[in-house]
Amino acid sequence: GAMFGKTEKLVITVGGMSCGHCEGRVEKAVMLCDGIKKAKASHSERTVKITHAAGSVVNMDEVRAAITELGFQME
């Protein structure tokens, strides 16, 4: 039970976001992926910061597919 509530962060680079609306769409899509608690996109930094449960493995293929489907590029 020591892992409860603990989270880990990872940052991915996403190209093609140009505005807050784009960020919102990317965040929504990424948060639907397995095990992801939070996503914070920044079009100026070209990043998406992902928060997931500690010890859980983020399926990067799923994340990439979600982002690509919106027309953005995960780098």
Side-chain angles (χ1 to χ4, degrees), residues 11-14 17 40-49:
V11 180
I12 56 174
T13 304
V14 177
M17 296 184 294
K40 183 78 190 92
S42 165
H43 71 275
S44 55
E45 292 174 26
R46 300 175 73 239
T47 58
V48 180
K49 294 182 174 72

Side-chain angles (χ1 to χ4, degrees), residues 7-30:
T7 57
E8 292 169 17
K9 283 187 172 44
L10 86 112
V11 180
I12 56 174
T13 304
V14 177
M17 296 184 294
S18 57
C19 61
H21 180 67
C22 298
E23 292 172 353
R25 288 174 62 210
V26 170
E27 288 168 358
K28 212 167 268 163
V30 170

Side-chain angles (χ1 to χ4, degrees), residues 38-72:
K38 217 164 90 186
K40 183 78 190 92
S42 165
H43 71 275
S44 55
E45 292 174 26
R46 300 175 73 239
T47 58
V48 180
K49 294 182 174 72
I50 293 171
T51 305
H52 62 100
S56 73
V57 177
V58 173
N59 181 341
M60 291 319 272
D61 291 336
E62 189 187 5
V63 173
R64 182 184 300 274
I67 288 168
T68 308
E69 216 164 85
L70 295 174
F72 304 112

